[in-house]
């Protein structure tokens, strides 16, 4: 019998290390959790594939760091994290899948939003990666992020279907709420 660890509507905060550390875990699930203010990574994945849905990951070292892992994130906000590389997300030999996520307001010397190393192949669909100090998505020569229908800050749209590089016009950012007012047209 397989055991599935699931945490719903939890706050994981103020730890002296990682908020969540998944190792050799294939079934951990986090739903509407807040993972913040941890001195280590918000979520650290090693040879794991946790699922995070509608979670907020903020104020940690890396928001999420992945090593040989394939986490799935849907509707998550990753903000206010700070690290040397990959402030919002560090992908090392990993293939995370992000759907409808916002990665904003993170910082790093390289890859403030996301840093991809050693053959990382993240998939981002319908995501916003904006206002990250140290770059939106940075990759080494061996990595190949696949990004589609997303808003990625940069000098030009990220290569891929339907990508744009227009300001998403965040509202309410001071409360760590990132959303776009659908009634307002994008600036020309």
């Amino acid at each position: 019998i397989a055991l599935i660890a699931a945490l719903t509507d939890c706050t994981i905060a103020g730890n002296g290390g990682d908020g969540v550390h998944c190792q050799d875990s294939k079934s951990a699930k986090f739903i509407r959790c807040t993972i913040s203010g941890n001195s280590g990574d918000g979520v650290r994945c090693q040879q794991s594939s946790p699922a995070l849905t509608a979670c907020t990951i903020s104020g940690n070292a890396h928001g999420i760091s992945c090593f040989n892992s394939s986490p799935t994130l849907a509707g998550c906000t990753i903000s206010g994290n700070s690290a040397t590389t990959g402030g919002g997300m560090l992908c090392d030999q990993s293939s995370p899948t992000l759907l409808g996520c916002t990665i904003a307001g993170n910082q790093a010397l390289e890859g403030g939003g996301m840093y991809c190393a050693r053959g990382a192949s993240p998939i981002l669909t319908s995501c916003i990666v904006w206002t990250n100090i140290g770059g939106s998505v940075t990759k080494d020569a061996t990595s190949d992020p696949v990004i589609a229908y997303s808003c990625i800050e940069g000098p030009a749209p990220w290569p891929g279907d339907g990508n744009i590089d227009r300001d998403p016009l965040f509202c309410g950012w001071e409360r760590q709420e990132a959303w776009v007012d659908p009634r307002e047209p994008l600036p020309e």
Side-chain angles (χ1 to χ4, degrees):
I1 296 174
L3 226 32
I4 298 175
L7 296 172
T8 302
D9 297 320
C10 292
T11 298
I12 301 166
N15 293 292
D18 301 334
V20 173
H21 188 111
C22 297
Q23 185 160 347
D24 300 319
S25 169
K26 305 301 177 200
S27 59
K29 295 183 182 188
F30 301 88
I31 302 163
R32 295 183 308 274
C33 292
T34 299
I35 303 166
S36 65
N38 300 291
S39 65
D41 301 338
V43 178
R44 183 177 183 87
C45 306
Q46 291 181 275
Q47 297 157 338
S48 297
S49 51
L52 292 90
T53 304
C55 292
T56 299
I57 302 161
S58 64
N60 305 288
H62 298 105
I64 299 177
S65 60
C66 307
F67 302 94
N68 298 309
S69 295
S70 300
T72 301
L73 288 82
C76 294
T77 299
I78 303 168
S79 66
N81 301 288
S82 180
T84 304
T85 55
M89 182 172 235
L90 171 64
C91 304
D92 188 335
Q93 294 180 325
S94 294
S95 302
T97 299
L98 287 79
L99 176 61
C101 293
T102 299
I103 302 173
N106 302 287
Q107 64 180 354
L109 296 176
E110 193 170 14
M114 176 183 282
Y115 185 78
C116 305
R118 298 191 308 162
S121 55
I123 298 171
L124 283 74
T125 306
S126 300
C127 292
I128 298 172
V129 184
W130 204 266
T131 65
N132 296 289
I133 296 171
S136 291
V137 179
T138 305
K139 65 183 193 78
D140 68 10
T142 65
S143 297
D144 189 22
V146 176
I147 302 174
Y149 304 102
S150 294
C151 178
I152 310 295
E153 185 175 18
W158 188 274
D161 292 339
N163 292 327
I164 61 172
D165 64 341
R166 293 185 180 177
D167 188 338
L169 304 174
F170 290 129
C171 296
W173 186 248
E174 65 278 356
R175 293 187 316 269
Q176 298 298 323
E177 296 172 12
W179 56 278
V180 178
D181 187 341
R183 298 168 293 176
E184 295 294 324
L186 291 173
E188 292 299 318

